[in-house]
Amino acid sequence: MAGELVLLDFWPSPFGMRSRIALAEKGIPYEYREEDLRNKSDLLLQMNPVHKKIPVLIHNGKPVCESVIQVQYIDEVWHDKAPLIPSDPYQRAVARFWVDFIDKKIYELGSKIWKTKGEEQANAKKEFIECLKLLEGELGDKTYFGGESLGYVDVALVPFYSWFYAYEKCGDFSIEAECPKMIAWVKRCMQKESVAKSLPDQEKVYEFILQLKKVFGIE
Amino acid sequence: MAVVKLFGAWLSPYCYRVIWALKLKGIAYEYIEEDLSNKSPLLLQYNPIHKKIPVLLHDDKPICESTVILRYIDEIWPQNPLLPADPHERAVALFWIKFADDKSPLISKLFRTDGEEQQAVAKECFEMLEVLEEHALIGGKKFFGGDEINMVDIAFCSVAHWLGVIEDFAGLKIFEPHKFPRLNSWIQNFKSVPVIKDNLPDTDKMLALLKRRREMLLASKSS
């Protein structure tokens, strides 16, 4: 069942982090391969010819692309340990809805925060906080989105925490001040080894963003 | 007996995805047509986040987002499965469904734009078709699902029906059968499947409504 498992990834990618967390939660050994996105490997281009993007999970030579699909695949194949996706079909549908919401909103809005200025940035910040507040509503009083244990929505969302410091510095705002429940949830997640080990240091991510800004000529 | 209700809009491909899935599995449901310019309080209550159709109600529990609904239907009613059983094959199917979800909005964007912006969208649509032709339909399969349609075929319905209507309306020629032979075969096969053929919005009605909507859109842009 384990076979050969390779993850093609890039250290600051929140999408790659999702798969890292899922694999760590289930204690599955795998080979992590860092990709240089300016010089993509032949393997990456072969395994993801459509998008040429990371992360790619390669299991016994067969690729699984798209982070949310990887997390589902990992959960299905290694279903006996630390289940991430709810077993009840309706709860599953609710979880999938929120993961879809996160995918549609968080990355794009976050990108706008560090890439833009003025009114565009202000609008992005406003919408970003509104989205986090909606997610806080969904979390409610639960320890995790998954209830008592880490679940699909937790795994999909928590990687973005590693970018929060960069968003805050670029956007000159405090996410904790606006969404304290969200940060409290993040801190609970970060106490888990699977999460803490899968997320890079926030300062490192901020330095990376500063580099990107230079490269793209963004002030 | 569990009650199934579907809030939809007759022009929406996302709504048809759900209709076909319910019919393929023989599920009885009540259909409620929504006027998208005047959304009902019920719709806003059941989908407060996006305020969009389709919304499926099963035993008074709302499920939103067409792909989420399709997967729910497939899991609750396992007859005529719409996804492969093998985990890797399922991952590949889900990849193409996500591709369809990410790219389908381009087709309605064609209708909402003009001039240079429309040209740029048309180019993106063409590239999407190229990807499908080159990567998704290899192996000479009749459908994405093999010998029978599955969730992937359903997900690409915009390409099969809505694209042609919008092209006619906007005077564009993005899809040409000789340029996309595999895709062309798939479109013919897909639209021949009885449940699809019998449940497609009428082309003339679509053109008439698109014309009215486009006039309103351009009027609001210039004002």
Side-chain angles (χ1 to χ4, degrees), chain A residues 63 72 76 90 92 96 104, chain B residues 62 65 71 75 88 90:
Chain A
Q72 289 177 76
E76 262 176 56
Y90 185 70
R92 239 196 318 264
R96 284 179 185 145
K104 279 183 163 101
Chain B
E65 293 300 308
R71 295 200 66 186
E75 284 162 17
H88 188 261
R90 182 150 60 238

Side-chain angles (χ1 to χ4, degrees), chain A:
Chain A
M1 187 161 76
E4 193 197 73
L5 206 50
V6 178
L7 181 67
L8 304 181
D9 202 348
F10 178 51
W11 69 269
S13 163
F15 305 104
M17 289 173 218
R18 290 168 168 178
S19 300
R20 288 176 228 165
I21 296 170
L23 290 165
E25 270 293 287
K26 291 170 185 276
I28 303 162
Y30 66 99
E31 185 195 336
Y32 177 95
R33 278 196 215 171
E34 187 72 23
E35 282 284 331
D36 176 358
L37 298 186
R38 293 157 303 179
N39 186 20
K40 293 175 181 177
S41 71
D42 289 338
L43 184 63
L44 173 57
L45 300 177
Q46 182 198 333
M47 291 283 134
N48 192 356
V50 173
H51 300 303
K52 307 174 176 50
K53 285 181 172 181
I54 57 90
V56 179
L57 185 73
I58 310 172
H59 187 206
N60 293 331
K62 293 192 286 195
V64 178
C65 304
E66 300 294 339
S67 63
V68 293
I69 298 174
Q70 287 162 13
V71 173
Q72 289 177 76
Y73 178 82
I74 290 164
D75 204 49
E76 262 176 56
V77 175
W78 291 275
H79 52 262
D80 48 347
K81 266 193 204 164
L84 296 168
I85 295 176
S87 49
D88 171 71
Y90 185 70
Q91 292 308 319
R92 239 196 318 264
V94 172
R96 284 179 185 145
F97 172 88
W98 286 105
V99 170
D100 174 74
F101 176 82
I102 291 162
D103 269 3
K104 279 183 163 101
K105 301 282 189 182
I106 302 296
Y107 184 70
E108 207 184 296
L109 289 169
S111 294
K112 278 191 180 161
I113 293 172
W114 71 261
K115 279 182 182 169
T116 66
K117 293 177 88 145
E119 204 183 325
E120 203 181 345
Q121 190 193 52
N123 289 337
K125 274 161 59 178
K126 184 167 171 280
E127 216 190 319
F128 182 77
I129 293 297
E130 279 166 8
C131 289
L132 290 188
K133 288 202 160 118
L134 284 171
L135 285 160
E136 280 185 326
E138 172 57 21
L139 177 67
D141 293 322
K142 299 196 295 283
T143 311
Y144 305 105
F145 286 92
E148 287 307 306
S149 56
L150 217 61
Y152 190 37
V153 180
D154 303 276
V155 173
L157 182 60
V158 80
F160 291 99
Y161 172 64
S162 62
W163 287 56
F164 277 10
Y165 180 68
Y167 297 153
E168 287 173 323
K169 292 288 278 188
C170 295
D172 188 29
F173 70 126
S174 161
I175 295 172
E176 184 160 14
E178 307 268 2
C179 304
K181 276 184 97 172
M182 174 100 331
I183 299 302
W185 161 79
V186 164
K187 290 186 173 156
R188 289 195 291 274
C189 291
M190 289 297 280
Q191 291 190 343
K192 305 211 83 189
E193 205 183 330
S194 59
V195 177
K197 285 199 162 172
S198 301
L199 265 57
D201 178 66
Q202 289 193 82
E203 294 254 10
K204 263 189 90 179
V205 173
Y206 179 51
E207 275 164 35
F208 168 71
I209 295 296
L210 291 178
Q211 288 300 317
L212 277 185
K213 282 171 84 141
K214 272 198 201 142
V215 166
F216 288 118
I218 306 166
E219 291 270 311

